[in-house]
Short mmCIF file of all heavy atoms in Angstrom, two decimals:
data_model
loop_
_atom_site.label_atom_id
_atom_site.label_comp_id
_atom_site.label_asym_id
_atom_site.label_seq_id
_atom_site.Cartn_x
_atom_site.Cartn_y
_atom_site.Cartn_z
N ALA A 9 80.99 128.13 -161.89
CA ALA A 9 82.25 127.88 -162.52
C ALA A 9 82.21 128.11 -164.05
O ALA A 9 81.30 127.49 -164.75
CB ALA A 9 82.81 126.53 -162.20
N VAL A 37 88.27 165.77 -158.98
CA VAL A 37 88.90 166.54 -157.98
C VAL A 37 90.30 167.05 -158.31
O VAL A 37 90.87 167.83 -157.58
CB VAL A 37 88.97 165.74 -156.56
CG1 VAL A 37 87.57 165.30 -156.10
CG2 VAL A 37 89.87 164.49 -156.68
N ASP A 77 99.60 151.66 -152.53
CA ASP A 77 100.29 151.22 -153.73
C ASP A 77 100.00 152.03 -154.90
O ASP A 77 100.97 152.33 -155.73
CB ASP A 77 99.96 149.73 -154.04
CG ASP A 77 100.48 148.77 -152.98
OD1 ASP A 77 101.17 149.18 -152.02
OD2 ASP A 77 100.16 147.55 -153.10
N LEU A 422 51.89 134.13 -173.28
CA LEU A 422 52.81 134.39 -174.41
C LEU A 422 52.59 135.78 -175.02
O LEU A 422 53.40 136.42 -175.69
CB LEU A 422 52.74 133.39 -175.51
CG LEU A 422 53.20 132.01 -175.07
CD1 LEU A 422 53.03 130.98 -176.23
CD2 LEU A 422 54.62 132.06 -174.53
N LEU A 429 58.33 145.46 -172.40
CA LEU A 429 58.91 145.44 -170.99
C LEU A 429 60.28 146.06 -171.04
O LEU A 429 60.60 146.78 -170.14
CB LEU A 429 58.93 144.04 -170.46
CG LEU A 429 57.58 143.44 -170.11
CD1 LEU A 429 57.71 142.01 -169.82
CD2 LEU A 429 57.04 144.14 -168.82
N PRO A 439 79.06 151.19 -167.51
CA PRO A 439 79.98 152.30 -167.40
C PRO A 439 81.00 152.22 -168.39
O PRO A 439 81.25 151.17 -169.07
CB PRO A 439 80.59 152.08 -166.01
CG PRO A 439 80.38 150.62 -165.75
CD PRO A 439 79.14 150.20 -166.47
#
Side-chain angles (χ1 to χ4, degrees):
V37 300
D77 290 358
L422 294 181
L429 288 170

